[in-house]
Amino acid sequence: MRLVLSFAASLLPATLLVAAPAIGQDDIRRVTNFVEPEPLPQYQAGMQALRDSKFTEARVAFLKVLRSIDDHPKILTLTGVAYLGEGNKNAARRYFASAVRVDPTYVPARQELGILYAQGGEQEQARKQLAELKSMSESCDGKCASAEELSIAIREVTAALGA
């Protein structure tokens, strides 16, 4: 079974993917293209822990970052990814949903939330996330900075829905 972690997929270079068999190679390839929100040591530690598949360490580090900078959609999403790595889908969902509330246009959080809903059998909720992604993509019309990211997110949520 494929875990959500599409957003987290780019965190790790391909050579490290083998180190995280519980998550899977397809699941850990999409996050490193994002600009770091803060050069905080805890953020760096969390990113390294994710790369090393040390999900508890990553979660602890990202929670420390959240105490320093309040609700940041990227950090909320990364915290959700760490929870997923630990196998805690309910906590992951809460963090992805929080990231979407903080920034409804933050594609990775909406993508992961949609996939998680689909995998959990909450098809209607997953379709809502997919509809929002499609709406954002249509508004962008392929010309915004997140056009490719939106295309990938739409494809991933659609696949998770089995549509």
Side-chain angles (χ1 to χ4, degrees):
M1 179 173 100
R2 180 185 163 311
L3 288 177
V4 173
L5 299 183
S6 296
F7 167 70
S10 72
L11 267 176
L12 307 176
T15 56
L16 292 179
L17 294 176
V18 178
I23 293 175
Q25 292 183 2
D26 291 336
D27 299 322
I28 304 201
R29 76 178 167 325
R30 277 193 6 75
V31 176
T32 52
N33 56 346
F34 296 97
V35 177
E36 297 173 8
E38 298 288 332
L40 296 172
Q42 298 92 340
Y43 174 80
Q44 298 300 330
M47 293 299 289
Q48 187 59 51
L50 278 181
R51 288 184 190 97
D52 295 340
S53 299
K54 295 178 180 176
F55 301 111
T56 299
E57 285 181 31
R59 175 182 47 81
V60 169
F62 292 134
L63 289 172
K64 287 179 183 177
V65 174
L66 285 171
R67 284 195 297 265
S68 299
I69 63 171
D70 291 323
D71 290 342
H72 187 289
K74 180 178 181 180
I75 303 302
L76 289 165
T77 302
L78 289 168
T79 304
V81 166
Y83 273 115
L84 271 179
E86 292 178 312
N88 190 338
K89 291 183 179 183
N90 289 332
R93 180 184 340 211
R94 284 192 306 272
Y95 277 87
F96 295 147
S98 292
V100 168
R101 277 191 298 279
V102 169
D103 182 356
T105 67
Y106 191 61
V107 176
R110 197 170 284 284
Q111 173 184 333
E112 296 304 328
L113 188 58
I115 294 169
L116 193 55
Y117 280 140
Q119 289 179 344
E122 297 180 63
Q123 304 302 311
E124 184 177 328
Q125 292 296 328
R127 283 189 200 93
K128 286 180 183 178
Q129 298 308 312
L130 180 59
E132 287 296 326
L133 289 165
K134 286 180 176 180
S135 175
M136 290 164 51
S137 181
E138 289 169 9
S139 296
C140 167
D141 196 26
K143 296 177 180 113
C144 63
S146 61
E148 183 177 349
E149 183 180 43
L150 282 162
S151 177
I152 292 167
I154 290 167
R155 184 175 63 239
E156 292 286 324
V157 176
T158 300
L161 280 164

